[in-house]
Amino acid sequence: MACCAAVVAVVLAAAVAGAPVEGLGVNWGTLATRRLPPKVMAQLLKDNGFKKVKIFDADETTMMGLAGTGIETMIAVPNDMLATVAADYRRAKEWVKMNVTKYDYHGGVNIKFVAIGNEPFLTAYNGTYDNVTVPALKNIQRALDEAGHGSAIKATVPVNADVYDSPASNPVPSAGKFRDDVAAVITDMVRFLNHSGAPFSVNIYPFLSLYGNDNFPIDYAFFDGAPPNPVIDKGVNYTNVFDANFDTLVSALDKIGFGSLPVVIGEVGWPTDGDKHATVPYAERFYNGLLKRLAARQGTPLRPHASIEVYLFGLMDEDAKSVAPGNFERHWGIFTFDGRPKFPLDLRGNGRPVMPAGARGVQYLPRRWCVLSPNASTNATAVEENVAYACSRADCTPLGYACSCGALDAAGNASYAFNAYYQAQGQVPLACDFQGLALVTDKDVSRPPCNFTVQVVAESRATAVTTNTTAAESMAPDAAAARLTAAVMAFLLVLVSA
């Protein structure tokens, strides 16, 4: 039976994969307490027909997982290395040697792009990377060229949509321009990209426009709605924020003389938990609309019938991401943390969404859960302190208002928090103590739609187990928080004017 089941799984995976939507890729993030093995992840990509993937570094374990798959890969120079490779060409050469040339062999990694940083021009960075990003871009591309990779591998800079906007006096896509404080730098970057043959890479998030403004017309965030006040620009009706955002960029590029430069969508997606609008039905609606357009090569009003290279964001939920922008940050995956598909997708572009193939060979910890003991002390303060401790070291975002576990009572909240910590720590006995307030059970205490997870057997990034019960540690803010503001402001003026 096991052999037959394995054969059936392979056949179903092949059927689901089919011929993928042209130009479709996906972001593979790794900010998780416990990760599936890279080879399992690479097989998940293959089983679902993804021929392109974008990662956020050049981690050796991830790269070895991709080796031999033939999947086109975008690797990255992290933001904290930009100054180094910008100031010292020798360091740029060394980076290329260790992260590109190292994998250039038969059966190696099919690297197509090198991302220079990640959204380095965000306003939240206050110009930290403005003067080093383009020099780093030029040094890495020069190193690629000199190493013999330059004709096949191009360096580009993934930017956030906050680098361009339309003036308040004329808030329409055709008036798009680059932000004043980075216009000169962006122009230099675009000129170099055009010369080297690399595309412009931008991250667009319609969800964030909706998340940041309750007055934002919900249909405008999707592709199948009919917003009451579409944006009208020179006779063109813009009925969704994606088209308006993309064409604002095209207009900004045109104003500096590069209106035909190829554009890659480095990140676009919809989360499924962590906010009232981060739901599976909304995510399914968004992706179905997006994939249908990509398959039809619909393009946008300023680039009609264009084949746009798009990287979905993202592949898997990441329970260790910063929640500074919102609890939804840990729920962008089209797959759960353990590689289970969340909803049907039309990855083949044939108009028939089906459930993607799930990850194969996933190994789980024993079916055990950590819950609040029925004999626990009634000391509310002790429970609250221990819940805070657990949630500072594990993912409790589903407990938020209007989230998948938001309807639990106080005891349920405590049990969820305790179990999240227990699983993140690999179910070690000490991780289910909480000063005698918790116990281990073999009874699944999930309360649909709230799922009490059992974690996977994997390399753990969890923090060391300790008996300290101080309040939750604050998370260091990062650039993700600014992504929300940027996305909301980019088209708020457009909608208000309409």
Side-chain angles (χ1 to χ4, degrees):
M1 284 295 291
C3 179
C4 292
V7 172
V8 170
V10 173
V11 172
L12 287 175
V16 169
V21 174
E22 183 179 354
L24 186 64
V26 66
N27 285 267
W28 173 7
T30 58
L31 295 178
T33 52
R34 303 181 69 82
R35 298 188 294 172
L36 292 178
K39 285 296 183 183
V40 171
M41 295 293 292
Q43 189 63 49
L44 179 66
L45 293 170
K46 292 177 64 178
D47 286 348
N48 287 285
F50 285 110
K51 298 187 181 300
K52 302 173 186 289
V53 69
K54 177 170 168 274
I55 60 178
F56 295 88
D57 48 32
D59 177 73
E60 184 175 15
T61 58
T62 303
M63 296 291 278
M64 293 310 298
L66 290 167
T69 64
I71 297 172
E72 291 184 356
T73 303
M74 182 186 298
I75 62 175
V77 179
N79 286 350
D80 59 9
M81 288 192 63
L82 296 182
T84 299
V85 298
D88 188 345
Y89 177 62
R90 292 173 300 177
R91 296 296 296 273
K93 288 179 63 177
E94 183 66 17
W95 192 93
V96 167
K97 177 182 177 181
M98 295 303 299
N99 298 287
V100 178
T101 305
K102 177 180 179 178
Y103 302 102
D104 182 25
Y105 57 87
H106 181 70
V109 181
N110 182 17
I111 300 172
K112 182 179 180 181
F113 294 116
V114 175
I116 307 302
N118 186 43
E119 301 182 336
F121 303 119
L122 270 175
T123 54
Y125 286 140
N126 296 316
T128 299
Y129 305 109
D130 289 3
N131 295 325
V132 297
T133 299
V134 175
L137 168 70
K138 294 178 178 179
N139 276 350
I140 290 293
Q141 188 63 59
R142 176 186 167 191
L144 289 169
D145 293 342
E146 291 187 358
H149 308 303
S151 61
I153 304 174
K154 303 298 181 182
T156 186
V157 180
V159 302
N160 186 274
D162 79 335
V163 300
Y164 52 86
D165 56 20
S166 298
S169 60
N170 189 26
V172 293
S174 64
K177 63 179 182 60
F178 288 110
R179 211 173 66 219
D180 290 342
D181 62 307
V182 294
V185 175
I186 294 289
T187 300
D188 185 23
M189 181 187 81
V190 168
R191 186 179 296 113
F192 182 80
L193 293 176
N194 183 68
H195 174 74
S196 68
F200 190 101
S201 179
V202 63
N203 302 337
I204 298 177
Y205 284 99
F207 164 80
L208 294 182
S209 298
L210 183 62
Y211 173 79
N213 177 19
D214 284 338
N215 295 319
F216 192 93
I218 191 167
D219 283 343
Y220 199 63
F222 299 95
F223 300 96
D224 59 353
N229 297 303
V231 175
I232 301 176
D233 183 12
K234 296 182 178 180
V236 175
N237 283 10
Y238 284 91
T239 60
N240 67 82
V241 71
F242 180 90
D243 282 357
N245 193 312
F246 188 94
D247 280 0
T248 300
L249 169 60
V250 173
S251 296
L253 289 169
D254 187 59
K255 286 181 174 59
I256 62 173
F258 297 95
S260 61
L261 186 71
V263 174
V264 167
I265 305 299
E267 298 177 16
V268 64
W270 199 280
T272 58
D273 206 351
D275 179 69
K276 63 183 179 180
H277 291 127
T279 67
V280 167
Y282 278 157
E284 185 175 357
R285 178 184 177 187
F286 178 80
Y287 277 116
N288 283 344
L290 175 66
L291 294 171
K292 180 179 179 180
R293 291 164 59 90
L294 293 177
R297 295 191 181 184
Q298 187 170 338
T300 66
L302 291 186
R303 289 195 177 178
H305 313 300
S307 178
I308 303 174
E309 186 167 337
V310 172
Y311 292 82
L312 306 182
F313 191 89
L315 183 61
M316 305 276 286
D317 285 347
E318 299 174 78
D319 67 352
K321 289 192 70 177
S322 167
V323 294
N327 289 342
F328 57 84
E329 274 295 316
R330 294 177 176 176
H331 305 279
W332 287 101
I334 57 177
F335 293 90
T336 59
F337 73 98
D338 54 350
R340 290 175 291 116
K342 296 180 180 179
F343 49 85
L345 283 169
D346 185 15
L347 296 174
R348 291 178 290 175
N350 60 11
R352 297 191 299 273
V354 297
M355 289 298 285
R360 292 188 272 152
V362 178
Q363 296 182 349
Y364 291 89
L365 296 172
R367 288 181 58 80
R368 292 196 293 258
W369 295 263
C370 179
V371 298
L372 180 69
S373 171
N375 301 318
S377 167
T378 56
N379 184 338
T381 300
V383 174
E384 289 174 3
E385 289 179 347
N386 280 276
V387 167
Y389 176 81
C391 289
S392 71
R393 290 159 174 79
D395 180 31
C396 295
T397 56
L399 294 174
Y401 170 73
C403 299
S404 62
C405 300
L408 296 179
D409 58 17
N413 287 340
S415 290
Y416 187 93
F418 293 169
N419 185 65
Y421 179 80
Y422 176 65
Q423 301 295 337
Q425 297 289 343
Q427 297 186 357
V428 296
L430 188 59
C432 188
D433 177 55
F434 297 102
Q435 295 182 324
L437 297 174
L439 58 79
V440 175
T441 178
D442 59 4
K443 178 183 178 181
D444 188 349
V445 292
S446 297
R447 306 176 195 178
C450 180
N451 180 38
F452 282 57
T453 62
V454 171
Q455 265 288 359
V456 298
V457 176
E459 176 187 4
S460 175
R461 291 184 174 184
T463 55
V465 178
T466 171
T467 56
N468 184 15
T469 55
T470 56
E473 295 176 346
S474 60
M475 298 196 71
D478 63 11
R483 192 180 299 163
L484 167 60
T485 302
V488 172
M489 295 304 296
F491 288 96
L492 187 55
L493 288 173
V494 174
L495 293 169
V496 170
S497 69

